[in-house]
Amino acid sequence: MKLLRRFRSIPVSYRVPVFVALLMVVISAAISERVLNRLSRTQESFLNGLAETYLDGLSSAVVPAVLRADVWEVFDALDRSSASYKSLAPIETVVTGSDGRVLAASDPNRIATYSELSADYLNRYGPGVVTIDKSKLTGFAHRDLVYQGQPIGTIHATFDVSHLFAERREILVTLLITNGVLAALFALGGFALVRQMIGPMRVLEDHMRSAAHGAAEPISPREIPAGDSEVAGLFRGYNALVHAERERANFAMQLAEEEKLSSLGRLASGMAHEINNPLGGLFNALDTLKTHGETPGVRDTSISLIERGLAGIRDVVEAALATYRPERSQRLMTAADLDDVRLLLKPELRRKRQRLDWSVAWNGAPELPIRGGPVRQAVLNLLLNASAVTPEDGTVSLKAVSAEDRLHIEIGDQGSGMPADIAGILIDQDPGPAVRAGRGLGLWMVRRVVDDLGGRASIAAKRGGGTAVTLTIPFDSEDVKAHAA
């Protein structure tokens, strides 16, 4: 199983040639086995025919001599037969009489006349005409001599069959070399063919990897194969997907900007009321100064009223500028950032007669190692969303806690709960179809801020009803280090 997993991990351009080579080896082994088996049967049939001919001819020559027990005539017949059947390569031939004793042998020095053959010599024959001993590369055959239906003796013959095995080895080597060359050629051809086939897939893979680590780029028209093939259709489909995704991203950015301007308009409307109210008091104070400015008490009271009104207007304008001025977004976060958010949210809460439950536990440091501008924007968006879903006379809450290495901010509302597709914008890996449909763009902006700061967001239902969104933002991000440097 582990070997199979390792084989699957090998690239296809190498797997296919290896598979083709293995298949060729298996086929070659099967073909070689059949060829050698057929050759072996042919050789044995040829050897049996030669042995039959040799024994037939020798039997005709020695029968009269065996009947007369003429040893010398038997020797002469054996000598003449060995010269006539060189293609059979006889090694040793022995003729015995009816009593089993040796009448003559081609090598009388090894087997003497009138001696008895050993039991191993007599029991070495198999059921066939020729019995082959592969270890000694020899073949054995025997023929009973019969005259008028009576056995009168036996011929025992031993042959050299080494040339048969040499022929088999030569053919085996030829088959191995031929099949090896063919397997290598097929493997190289398969490798080249597969590389050519998966070349377009590599182009698509490279573009998809680039898309996973950055912006997706369409495939160049030069890399699209000519014609209306499957690969060309796949490449065109990928390019269409890239262009559609770019259009959706641009559309989402436009909607996000419109959402930002919309929230800015809501804040501007509230700011107009915040500025208009002290302006009325300022004009009344100026009229009072014009009429009763000589009276010291009236003059001091009117000047104090003007100072407080102008200070309120200044605070509202500075909070708005701090939130929407880009050059201030890289500053480190301070407690004043959250105070500005509360000041900007106040008109919206007053309009809907809502209460703000505010709790900030700062660690005492003047600055936190987090970019203040993005955090301020994200918190403001969440508070505006919370105010929008909370009914009149309800409560919106913010709880911020500065820990050792991170900042926790929890924004709560008293709405009916956040839909799953909208909640997915904050917590899912893919924002999902809601953003593509132009919904939840404020949350999408918050998601982008949190991802950029290396933080995470979570959503939970509150006990008394409503939803709590928690942002966890770590300290010491790369952007903060660059700013500090």
Side-chain angles (χ1 to χ4, degrees):
M1 197 69 180
K2 186 182 294 185
L3 184 62
L4 181 60
R5 287 197 297 269
R6 288 183 179 178
F7 181 75
R8 288 179 176 175
S9 64
I10 300 174
V12 176
S13 57
Y14 294 100
R15 255 189 295 165
V16 171
V18 170
F19 180 76
V20 171
L22 291 177
L23 185 61
M24 282 297 302
V25 169
V26 173
I27 294 175
S28 300
I31 293 176
S32 300
E33 191 275 333
R34 298 303 302 166
V35 169
L36 291 175
N37 186 45
R38 183 61 180 269
L39 176 64
S40 176
R41 292 201 302 269
T42 302
Q43 288 178 332
E44 291 177 3
S45 177
F46 179 72
L47 181 62
N48 289 337
L50 285 178
E52 288 277 7
T53 304
Y54 174 73
L55 293 174
D56 288 342
L58 189 58
S59 298
S60 300
V62 301
V63 165
V66 172
L67 288 173
R68 296 191 302 270
D70 188 345
V71 175
W72 293 108
E73 189 174 348
V74 175
F75 270 123
D76 183 61
L78 292 178
D79 185 57
R80 283 185 283 108
S81 65
S82 62
S84 302
Y85 291 92
K86 290 183 179 181
S87 60
L88 188 60
I91 298 174
E92 180 181 75
T93 305
V94 179
V95 179
T96 60
S98 58
D99 58 355
R101 291 182 178 276
V102 176
L103 288 176
S106 59
D107 187 2
N109 293 325
R110 201 177 77 85
I111 302 176
T113 304
Y114 301 121
S115 63
E116 292 185 359
L117 296 175
S118 65
D120 292 339
Y121 201 97
L122 296 174
N123 296 328
R124 62 187 182 177
Y125 305 109
V129 177
V130 178
T131 302
I132 296 177
D133 186 348
K134 295 181 180 180
S135 62
K136 298 180 180 180
L137 301 179
T138 54
F140 310 107
H142 72 287
R143 172 70 61 83
D144 292 331
L145 300 175
V146 180
Y147 181 75
Q148 293 182 355
Q150 297 295 324
I152 61 173
T154 306
I155 300 175
H156 301 273
T158 303
F159 311 105
D160 181 10
V161 296
S162 60
H163 63 284
L164 301 180
F165 289 94
E167 185 178 2
R168 293 181 190 178
R169 284 195 299 271
E170 183 179 354
I171 292 177
L172 177 60
V173 171
T174 303
L175 286 172
L176 290 177
I177 294 175
T178 304
N179 293 331
V181 171
L182 289 176
L185 291 176
F186 275 105
L188 290 175
F191 178 76
L193 181 62
V194 172
R195 292 282 290 186
Q196 183 178 3
M197 291 174 61
I198 69 173
M201 298 302 103
R202 289 186 178 277
V203 174
L204 183 60
E205 179 187 9
D206 293 340
H207 280 79
M208 293 183 71
R209 286 182 183 275
S210 300
H213 295 87
E217 294 293 335
I219 299 174
S220 172
R222 295 192 303 271
E223 296 179 302
I224 299 178
D228 196 19
S229 64
E230 293 84 353
V231 175
L234 181 63
F235 281 10
R236 294 190 185 98
Y238 173 79
N239 286 348
L241 178 64
V242 171
H243 292 309
E245 187 62 28
R246 285 183 175 180
E247 291 178 359
R248 278 193 288 267
N250 293 333
F251 180 65
M253 290 294 295
Q254 293 176 3
L255 291 179
E257 290 298 323
E258 292 178 3
E259 177 73 13
K260 184 176 180 180
L261 293 175
S262 175
S263 63
L264 180 60
R266 290 162 58 191
L267 291 175
S269 175
M271 288 172 57
H273 289 286
E274 289 293 309
I275 295 174
N276 191 47
N277 290 335
L279 281 179
L282 291 176
F283 283 118
N284 290 333
L286 288 175
D287 289 339
T288 302
L289 284 176
K290 289 179 181 179
T291 305
H292 307 286
E294 296 178 355
T295 305
V298 173
R299 184 174 64 250
D300 293 341
T301 301
S302 299
I303 292 175
S304 177
L305 179 62
I306 293 173
E307 287 178 348
R308 290 197 304 272
L310 291 175
I313 294 173
R314 181 196 61 196
D315 292 341
V316 171
V317 173
E318 284 188 353
L321 290 176
T323 301
Y324 290 98
R325 198 159 58 190
E327 61 269 18
R328 299 191 58 178
S329 62
Q330 300 297 323
R331 293 177 54 184
L332 298 183
M333 187 172 183
T334 64
D337 290 317
L338 295 181
D339 291 337
D340 289 344
V341 171
R342 180 168 57 176
L343 181 61
L344 292 173
L345 189 66
K346 188 183 298 183
E348 185 71 12
L349 297 176
R350 183 183 298 114
R351 184 178 66 84
K352 299 187 67 174
R353 296 192 297 274
Q354 293 172 344
R355 295 178 299 277
L356 178 62
D357 187 0
W358 189 268
S359 174
V360 177
W362 211 257
N363 61 3
E367 293 179 337
L368 294 181
I370 303 175
R371 287 182 292 161
V375 175
R376 185 207 314 263
Q377 183 64 53
V379 171
L380 181 59
N381 281 349
L382 290 176
L383 285 172
L384 288 174
N385 287 342
S387 174
V389 299
T390 299
E392 292 189 359
D393 298 324
T395 301
V396 177
S397 63
L398 180 141
K399 182 186 297 183
V401 178
S402 173
E404 294 181 357
D405 60 347
R406 62 197 62 214
L407 175 66
H408 297 278
I409 302 176
E410 179 186 298
I411 293 94
D413 60 56
Q414 291 183 340
S416 58
M418 190 177 296
D421 58 338
I422 300 299
I425 298 175
L426 278 179
I427 61 178
D428 290 346
Q429 186 174 4
D430 182 8
V435 173
R436 297 184 180 93
R439 301 171 58 206
L441 295 174
L443 292 181
W444 184 61
M445 294 176 63
V446 174
R447 168 70 178 269
R448 291 179 59 191
V449 169
V450 173
D451 290 344
D452 186 50
L453 295 176
R456 59 183 178 86
S458 60
I459 299 175
K462 296 174 63 177
R463 284 187 177 182
T467 305
V469 178
T470 303
L471 304 182
T472 302
I473 303 172
F475 296 163
D476 297 328
S477 67
E478 293 298 329
D479 295 316
V480 173
K481 291 180 181 178
H483 177 81

